[in-house]
Amino acid sequence: MRLSEKQQIFTRNIAKLINKATELEIGLTFGHAWRSLEEQKRLKAEGKSQTLKSKHLDRLAVDFNFFINGKLVYDFHKIKVLGDYWENLHPDNVWGGDFNKNDKKDGFVDTPHFQMS
Ligand SMILES: [Zn+2]
């Protein structure tokens, strides 16, 4: 599959995710979507990212801020319902809240992050 086709599937699935959040009364605002390599290098140096091969560089990841009852929330347990929904939309979808799955036990949990691998 061409990268462009994959990016379009990803973007369509993000639309579904946004609609699901609305249905669950979880307000969303965008954080990072596309990111340059320079920006990624800076985030890694600051310990805010674990990799230089982020899916943000490929337009296959988006970070969200979550609002529940008007309050900004990043709590894993409150957002897990969206993470589960995301991972059921496509077999390549990964939620950053689940980064510790698949034997990655480095303690890094990235609740705002939704990607297609
Ligand atoms: Zn991210």
Side-chain angles (χ1 to χ4, degrees):
M1 189 190 303
R2 291 175 52 216
L3 179 59
S4 166
E5 292 173 61
K6 195 162 189 169
Q7 290 165 332
Q8 291 173 53
I9 292 168
F10 170 76
T11 304
R12 277 197 297 273
N13 283 333
I14 286 293
K16 291 180 187 169
L17 180 73
I18 292 169
N19 286 333
K20 183 67 177 180
T22 304
E23 190 185 306
L24 294 168
E25 299 187 351
I26 299 173
L28 298 177
T29 64
F30 284 112
H32 276 132
W34 178 75
R35 186 183 286 166
S36 69
L37 182 58
E38 290 67 35
E39 200 168 10
Q40 187 64 32
K41 284 178 181 168
R42 182 179 58 76
L43 290 169
K44 185 159 190 285
E46 292 172 358
K48 292 175 181 166
S49 178
Q50 305 272 298
T51 181
L52 288 178
K53 292 183 176 174
S54 167
K55 290 295 170 187
H56 286 287
L57 304 176
D58 298 328
R59 301 181 196 278
L60 291 172
V62 171
D63 300 329
F64 286 107
N65 307 301
F66 312 98
F67 294 84
I68 298 175
N69 298 321
K71 265 188 67 180
L72 181 61
V73 170
Y74 295 110
D75 182 85
F76 173 90
H77 298 285
K78 290 183 175 151
I79 306 306
K80 188 174 186 307
V81 61
L82 278 184
D84 290 344
Y85 177 78
W86 176 248
E87 292 188 343
N88 282 317
L89 278 179
H90 194 283
D92 293 343
N93 283 1
V94 176
W95 174 46
D98 274 348
F99 273 168
N100 283 336
K101 250 177 17 185
N102 307 323
D103 298 324
K104 281 183 81 177
K105 303 229 182 274
D106 58 9
F108 189 67
V109 176
D110 193 0
T111 309
H113 179 96
F114 294 81
Q115 77 174 38
M116 188 176 184
S117 294

